[in-house]
């Protein structure tokens, strides 16, 4: 992999082992977390075992820590106050474009998928809802689709109190965007999730059905938020790999 900084935006790029420019362009997989509390782009080898495995399945994989992720200072942290959508999604698109600019022989921007879990799942679903011109398929794991349903100690830190700033909750909810879906979307959720409860996915699926938008929901029986069961985690990776056919 390569590790780069573009306008202070940390980007990690992963290509299949042994890939050479003459081997042809690859479908792209954007693989973010993208939210407060977690960094993905670090000079730590173990951070990239899973992304490199995905790359070795035939993808060009891009990871970026955009505005709102930790470790960059107060201004970076506060850039998402009241608005997850614009800065978070814009930074992922900037990272994708920059990665393709640096690796034009590898990146096929006509085939771009995105996957993520938790905040990253929200971001993956957001990406195909808001920017289907850029993202052509998404796998969204345990996404907090409606911030009214999430922990107040987390959500109010960024979006304010729902009684005082209700417009922030409306603008950052995926529910009102459901009618915009034009691309394949798979939503995965553990039914025993006590962090992002399964009602988030049920509410999004209901809105998508009401809007007549086809999608896939994969419920995971007995699984909590982070899919700690090894066999479940392994098979989910295989399913993510197999979604390449829709990109």
């Amino acid at each position: 992999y390569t590790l780069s900084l573009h306008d202070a935006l940390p980007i990690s790029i992963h290509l299949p082992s042994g890939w050479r420019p003459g081997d042809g362009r690859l479908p792209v997989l954007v693989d973010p977390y993208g939210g407060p509390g977690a960094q993905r782009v670090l000079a730590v080898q173990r951070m990239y075992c899973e992304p490199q495995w995905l790359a070795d399945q035939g993808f060009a994989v891009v990871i970026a820590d955009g505005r709102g992720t930790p470790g960059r200072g107060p201004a970076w942290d506060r850039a998402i106050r009241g608005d997850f959508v614009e800065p978070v999604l814009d930074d992922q698109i900037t990272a994708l474009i920059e990665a393709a600019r640096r690796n034009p022989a590898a990146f096929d921007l006509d085939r771009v998928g995105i996957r993520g879990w938790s905040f990253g799942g929200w971001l993956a679903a957001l990406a195909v809802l808001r920017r289907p011109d850029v993202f052509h398929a998404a796998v969204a794991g345990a996404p907090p689709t409606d911030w009214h349903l999430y922990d107040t100690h987390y959500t109010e830190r960024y979006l304010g109190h729902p009684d005082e700033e209700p417009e922030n909750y409306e603008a950052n909810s995926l529910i009102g965007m459901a009618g915009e879906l034009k691309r394949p979307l798979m939503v995965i959720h553990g039914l025993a999730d006590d962090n992002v409860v399964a009602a988030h996915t049920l509410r999004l699926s209901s809105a998508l059905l009401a809007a007549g938008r086809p999608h896939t929901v994969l419920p995971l029986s007995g699984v909590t938020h982070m899919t700690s069961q090894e066999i479940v985690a392994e098979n989910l990776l295989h399913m993510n790999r197999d979604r390449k056919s829709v990109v």
Side-chain angles (χ1 to χ4, degrees):
Y1 67 91
T2 62
L3 191 66
S4 62
L5 292 178
H6 172 63
D7 293 337
L9 179 61
I11 306 170
S12 176
I13 301 167
H14 307 259
L15 301 176
S17 301
W19 181 90
R20 296 292 180 268
D23 294 341
R25 294 190 300 164
L26 301 162
V28 183
L29 182 60
V30 181
D31 185 25
Y33 177 73
Q39 290 173 278
R40 295 284 310 281
V41 184
L42 296 169
V44 179
Q45 186 174 4
R46 63 180 174 80
M47 295 293 292
Y48 302 111
C49 294
E50 187 173 299
Q52 188 57 51
W53 182 87
L54 288 165
D56 287 341
Q57 310 310 302
F59 291 97
V61 179
V62 180
I63 304 169
D65 288 340
R67 283 169 285 177
T69 56
R72 305 304 301 278
W76 188 264
D77 294 343
R78 293 171 182 163
I80 62 169
R81 173 62 176 88
D83 181 14
F84 292 151
V85 172
E86 185 174 353
V88 171
L89 186 54
D90 283 356
D91 283 354
Q92 295 300 319
I93 295 172
T94 296
L96 171 64
I97 292 171
E98 174 65 11
R101 186 188 70 80
R102 296 189 180 205
N103 300 272
F107 279 66
D108 184 351
L109 294 185
D110 291 328
R111 295 185 292 163
V112 179
I114 182 169
R115 70 186 286 264
W117 200 269
S118 196
F119 191 99
W122 172 86
L123 176 51
L126 173 73
V128 289
L129 287 166
R130 278 296 167 88
R131 294 300 304 271
D133 56 317
V134 176
F135 300 96
H136 307 107
V139 177
T145 65
D146 183 347
W147 293 101
H148 287 99
L149 300 179
Y150 196 60
D151 295 342
T152 56
H153 80 276
Y154 176 99
T155 308
E156 291 178 14
R157 190 184 316 167
Y158 305 105
L159 299 184
H161 195 284
D163 292 340
E164 298 170 358
E165 300 179 77
E167 67 280 0
N168 291 345
Y169 287 75
E170 182 68 22
N172 289 279
S173 171
L174 300 180
I175 308 305
M177 306 178 195
E180 301 176 33
L181 185 65
K182 300 176 182 177
R183 298 294 192 180
L185 170 63
M186 172 182 280
V187 187
I188 304 170
H189 218 121
L191 297 182
D193 193 332
D194 58 357
N195 181 5
V196 181
V197 295
H200 284 273
T201 284
L202 297 178
R203 187 167 291 187
L204 176 61
S205 180
S206 179
L208 290 167
L209 286 169
R213 303 299 179 180
H215 62 288
T216 302
V217 174
L218 175 62
L220 304 177
S221 180
V223 172
T224 57
H225 187 57
M226 296 309 295
T227 60
S228 57
Q229 299 93 329
E230 289 185 13
I231 189 63
V232 174
E234 179 182 349
N235 285 330
L236 285 176
L237 277 175
H238 292 157
M239 292 185 65
N240 277 255
R241 173 198 62 195
D242 296 340
R243 296 292 284 179
K244 181 170 67 172
S245 62
V246 303
V247 176

